[in-house]
Amino acid sequence: MPYLALIFGMERGIYMELTSAMTHSIAKLSGIRLSDSEAAAMTRDLGGVVGYFDLLNELDTRDVPPRAHVLPLVNHWREDAVTPSAPRDELIANAPVRRDGYVVAPKTFEGGGSS
Amino acid sequence: MPQYETVVGLEIHVELATATKVFCGCTTAFGGEQNTHVCPVCMGLPGALPVLNRQAVEYAVRAGLALNCNITRNAVFDRKHYFYPDLPKAFQISQLYLPLCTDGWVEVFGKRVRIREIHMEEDAGKLVHDPWTDSTLVDFNRCGVPLIEIVTQPDMRTPEETVETVRQIRAALSMLGVSDCKMQEGSLRVDVNLSVRPMGSTALGTRTEMKNINSLKSIGRAVAGETARQIEQIELGRPIIQQTRRWDDNKNASMAMRSKEDAHDYRYFPEPDLAPLSLSDEWIESRRAALPELPEQKRVRYPAEFGLSAYDTDILVSEKTLCELFERTAAICGKPKDAANWIMGEILAALKERGESPDQLTLAPEALARIITLQSGGEINRNAARQTLTAALAGETSDVDEYIKANQLAMVGDASALMEIVKQVINADPDSDAAYRSGKEKVFGFLMGQAMRALKGKGDPGRLKELLKQGLG
């Protein structure tokens, strides 16, 4: 199955139609609490965005080989040479709370993030 | 009670030994002050663009080749999304659809443990709990350090097989020089996926994933402990819940951390800011040709070429520094068995005593070879050899001959010096002299002992015996 089709399920003709349940699921994953009226508005707005992307499905891509990237670039890499890091105070200046050069976050425990 | 079978698969995260991070030029040096090894790229500031570190790809390919994988010609990076304070971009650059290496294997106790894939990704930051304010402090220095994640198939069945699989993989990576593979410091992290099923069943049971296992020994304990817990749940008629658990080695038990999110919750999609890789067959084959001799090859060569035991071989090949010290010492002094014996004995004991790992070993092979040559040539005895080695290991001396001279450790073989001692011993005890002359041969041993004692054990025993007989005669 072509690469992108595998991801988006296009091969099976599955096009995205945003439902209220999906909006709630995205909000949960994003750590955002939505009221029912906000969720309804969000479903409408996001649905418009997703629908806009459906325009792509109208293109005839039968003769376009599957590819993973839009640019004709491969192996864009650099040598393993250290460059100076940026000044800490500037980098973390936008964090709402800082202490001793750390960014302060709400209480969390180590290793709870990824798989 | 039915018989149960344990089924284990592993996810091994390994930090690659590059000088810089995988997508920016920040240093990967350990122990910098918090948030000083960071830049707009690894902090995920808007507009910053990642550029792939070529060396990280080289290391990952090297690992894949050594673990018998196929190398993907056109590998691609993907974004894996989740929200957590240690991940400033709110996504991790990883590989889901086209990982760099696939379908490898490692041989463990004569059977193959299959490796499903090895993919490249970036490390996350570090969270520090601040008990005073009950909040979490974030240090992003580790963010963006290159990792490979080695994913095995669920092919292990016992704690021993699981530990041995990690040992084999670790030995190979150590030999390749792609990582320092320190479990205690987190540069090699093992997650254990484990389920149990009735013996004879082919379906997989519900699995749990255990994290926070930071030594080979605790991997074995974790497999045994979680197996027992799951069997107990099943026997009590309770379901196994698919979840991530944290192994507590002190309590010898795992604790639930969180329920496992479904894979699609990470909303993977191809990373638009990174170009795909395109590795030619020539490129890959040149890397294959440049691989160093691997542990599995040394495992065959050491017993065949040097006559080492399987046990000694196994210990030596598990650490790159031990192999190097052994091979170079043996080449210099021509005595491989002595070299192996000193490494297996005194040297490993000294490391253990100091709580150091073999990669901290600074002993020069020239020094060890010289000690072996001197001892086997009878110029120093075993105690002197041990004392000199201890000094060399502690970095007190780099010149073995000078140390032996300064501490008068050389054997005394010089006839006039030995004769001097013989005379002293006989004069000090005229009775024994007379006794010997009257035929009491036992006295000879006593006088030998006295002479050796005066020489602090460093007399050449053959010559001393000869001279003592002469002195008494």
Side-chain angles (χ1 to χ4, degrees):
Chain A
M1 193 182 288
Y3 177 55
L4 287 176
L6 183 77
I7 302 168
F8 296 120
M10 289 171 186
E11 195 87 333
R12 288 162 288 152
I14 299 169
Y15 301 125
M16 195 64 96
E17 190 185 315
L18 207 73
T19 63
S20 162
M22 285 163 126
T23 303
H24 280 291
S25 166
I26 294 167
K28 189 178 169 228
L29 288 169
S30 308
I32 297 169
R33 198 173 326 187
L34 292 180
S35 67
D36 283 347
S37 63
E38 284 170 325
M42 194 63 78
T43 305
R44 207 165 46 239
D45 291 353
L46 274 179
V49 174
V50 172
Y52 182 74
F53 278 92
D54 266 350
L55 285 174
L56 290 172
N57 291 324
E58 292 170 14
L59 290 172
D60 182 356
T61 56
R62 269 174 300 187
D63 298 326
V64 181
R67 53 185 306 135
H69 201 276
V70 292
L71 297 177
L73 272 180
V74 291
N75 299 343
H76 183 65
W77 49 31
R78 63 183 174 82
E79 293 309 308
D80 187 24
V82 176
T83 53
S85 291
R88 177 168 72 187
D89 292 346
E90 285 179 32
L91 278 174
I92 65 172
N94 287 332
V97 190
R98 306 174 294 274
R99 188 180 320 126
D100 303 331
Y102 287 104
V103 171
V104 181
K107 187 179 170 187
T108 339
F109 62 93
E110 176 101 40
S114 168
S115 65
Chain B
M1 184 171 139
Q3 287 280 309
Y4 289 94
E5 177 177 61
T6 309
V7 178
V8 177
L10 297 172
E11 293 168 15
I12 307 176
H13 287 86
V14 183
E15 280 182 0
L16 299 177
T18 53
T20 67
K21 295 186 178 182
V22 61
F23 300 122
C24 64
C26 287
T27 177
T28 56
F30 196 74
E33 202 182 312
Q34 57 273 17
N35 294 318
T36 53
H37 298 169
V38 282
C39 74
V41 173
C42 54
M43 283 278 291
L45 299 193
L49 286 173
V51 184
L52 181 61
N53 182 341
R54 189 181 59 80
Q55 190 63 45
V57 180
E58 296 270 358
Y59 283 162
V61 166
R62 215 182 279 179
L65 290 172
L67 297 174
N68 308 295
C69 291
N70 297 324
I71 306 300
T72 306
R73 268 58 177 170
N74 300 291
V76 176
F77 290 92
D78 301 290
R79 290 187 180 182
K80 175 184 184 178
H81 299 83
Y82 63 93
F83 289 96
Y84 215 67
D86 62 6
L87 190 73
K89 292 197 297 293
F91 61 84
Q92 178 193 34
I93 300 178
S94 180
Q95 298 186 299
L96 178 70
Y97 302 103
L98 293 167
L100 188 58
C101 317
T102 58
D103 297 323
W105 50 267
V106 58
E107 192 174 302
V108 177
F109 298 143
K111 81 169 199 187
R112 282 187 182 183
V113 170
R114 293 167 299 158
I115 290 166
R116 194 181 81 194
E117 67 175 58
I118 303 177
H119 62 255
M120 297 182 68
E121 58 184 35
E122 54 181 338
D123 210 347
K126 186 177 166 135
L127 302 180
V128 184
H129 181 63
D130 179 11
W132 295 100
T133 58
D134 202 26
S135 57
T136 295
L137 308 177
V138 194
D139 173 10
F140 295 113
N141 283 352
R142 302 313 293 163
C143 232
V145 167
L147 297 177
I148 49 174
E149 180 174 341
I150 302 169
V151 185
T152 77
Q153 297 285 4
D155 285 352
M156 288 144 280
R157 297 289 176 269
T158 63
E160 293 76 20
E161 270 179 22
T162 309
V163 171
E164 188 59 19
T165 302
V166 177
R167 277 192 75 227
Q168 298 279 354
I169 291 173
R170 187 178 170 280
L173 298 177
S174 158
M175 208 66 71
L176 295 170
V178 302
S179 172
D180 64 15
C181 296
K182 289 183 183 166
M183 289 192 74
Q184 303 281 357
E185 291 178 15
S187 57
L188 188 147
R189 308 191 283 263
V190 178
D191 299 338
V192 172
N193 289 303
L194 187 150
S195 59
V196 298
R197 62 186 175 193
M199 196 66 93
S201 164
T202 50
L204 291 169
T206 304
R207 69 168 195 267
T208 59
E209 178 181 5
M210 277 185 294
K211 290 180 170 293
N212 191 44
I213 310 175
N214 58 12
S215 72
L216 285 172
K217 274 190 186 136
S218 52
I219 291 172
R221 284 194 287 266
V223 171
E226 180 63 8
T227 297
R229 187 193 71 86
Q230 289 192 12
I231 291 173
E232 188 185 307
Q233 294 291 309
I234 292 169
E235 292 289 314
L236 290 169
R238 295 178 187 157
I240 304 293
I241 301 162
Q242 185 176 342
Q243 60 188 184
T244 304
R245 302 179 67 86
R246 182 185 175 84
W247 177 251
D248 188 328
D249 210 35
N250 294 321
K251 292 182 184 146
N252 207 37
S254 67
M255 314 289 153
M257 271 167 79
R258 62 197 153 103
S259 290
K260 191 79 184 149
E261 286 171 281
D262 290 331
H264 72 258
D265 276 1
Y266 289 123
R267 292 151 293 146
Y268 280 96
F269 68 74
E271 166 58 87
D273 289 343
L274 287 167
L277 292 170
S278 175
L279 306 178
S280 67
D281 288 349
E282 296 75 43
W283 192 94
I284 293 165
E285 288 315 310
S286 72
R287 270 62 187 178
R288 193 193 305 278
L291 288 179
E293 187 184 30
L294 292 165
E296 59 198 83
Q297 295 159 319
K298 289 184 191 293
R299 234 177 270 279
V300 176
R301 185 166 69 91
Y302 283 8
E305 186 176 332
F306 303 123
L308 299 193
S309 70
Y311 178 80
D312 287 1
T313 299
D314 190 53
I315 302 283
L316 291 176
V317 302
S318 65
E319 293 286 346
K320 188 185 186 194
T321 45
L322 296 184
C323 282
E324 284 173 353
L325 178 62
F326 166 70
E327 290 182 19
R328 290 176 58 194
T329 304
I332 298 167
C333 70
K335 297 201 175 324
K337 277 201 151 165
D338 287 348
N341 286 340
W342 281 110
I343 293 170
M344 297 294 297
E346 303 292 324
I347 292 172
L348 286 180
L351 285 175
K352 197 173 175 189
E353 193 177 306
R354 279 185 266 157
E356 289 180 356
S357 58
D359 65 291
Q360 288 169 281
L361 199 55
T362 54
L363 181 69
E366 291 78 11
L368 179 58
R370 184 71 185 141
I371 291 168
I372 291 170
T373 303
L374 289 173
Q375 196 208 338
S376 60
E379 292 176 64
I380 54 175
N381 64 22
R382 190 169 169 81
N383 282 334
R386 190 177 287 140
Q387 184 183 333
T388 309
L389 180 61
T390 304
L393 277 169
E396 288 163 22
T397 180
S398 55
D399 187 329
V400 166
D401 289 281
E402 194 180 305
Y403 182 84
I404 289 169
K405 198 172 164 195
N407 292 277
Q408 300 177 322
L409 295 173
M411 297 290 259
V412 180
D414 175 59
S416 61
L418 289 177
M419 200 59 206
E420 190 61 34
I421 299 291
V422 166
K423 278 182 192 159
Q424 278 175 25
V425 169
I426 295 172
N427 292 341
D429 203 346
D431 289 351
S432 3
D433 184 16
Y436 181 75
R437 283 166 204 270
S438 67
K440 290 192 177 166
E441 303 254 336
K442 265 199 260 176
V443 175
F444 187 81
F446 169 74
L447 290 172
M448 262 301 274
Q450 293 296 101
M452 241 348 174
R453 204 160 143 190
L455 287 158
K456 298 195 175 96
K458 287 172 302 198
D460 179 330
R463 308 200 68 176
L464 190 61
K465 203 169 173 181
E466 210 173 283
L467 291 169
L468 186 59
K469 270 189 183 153
Q470 215 177 305
L472 291 167

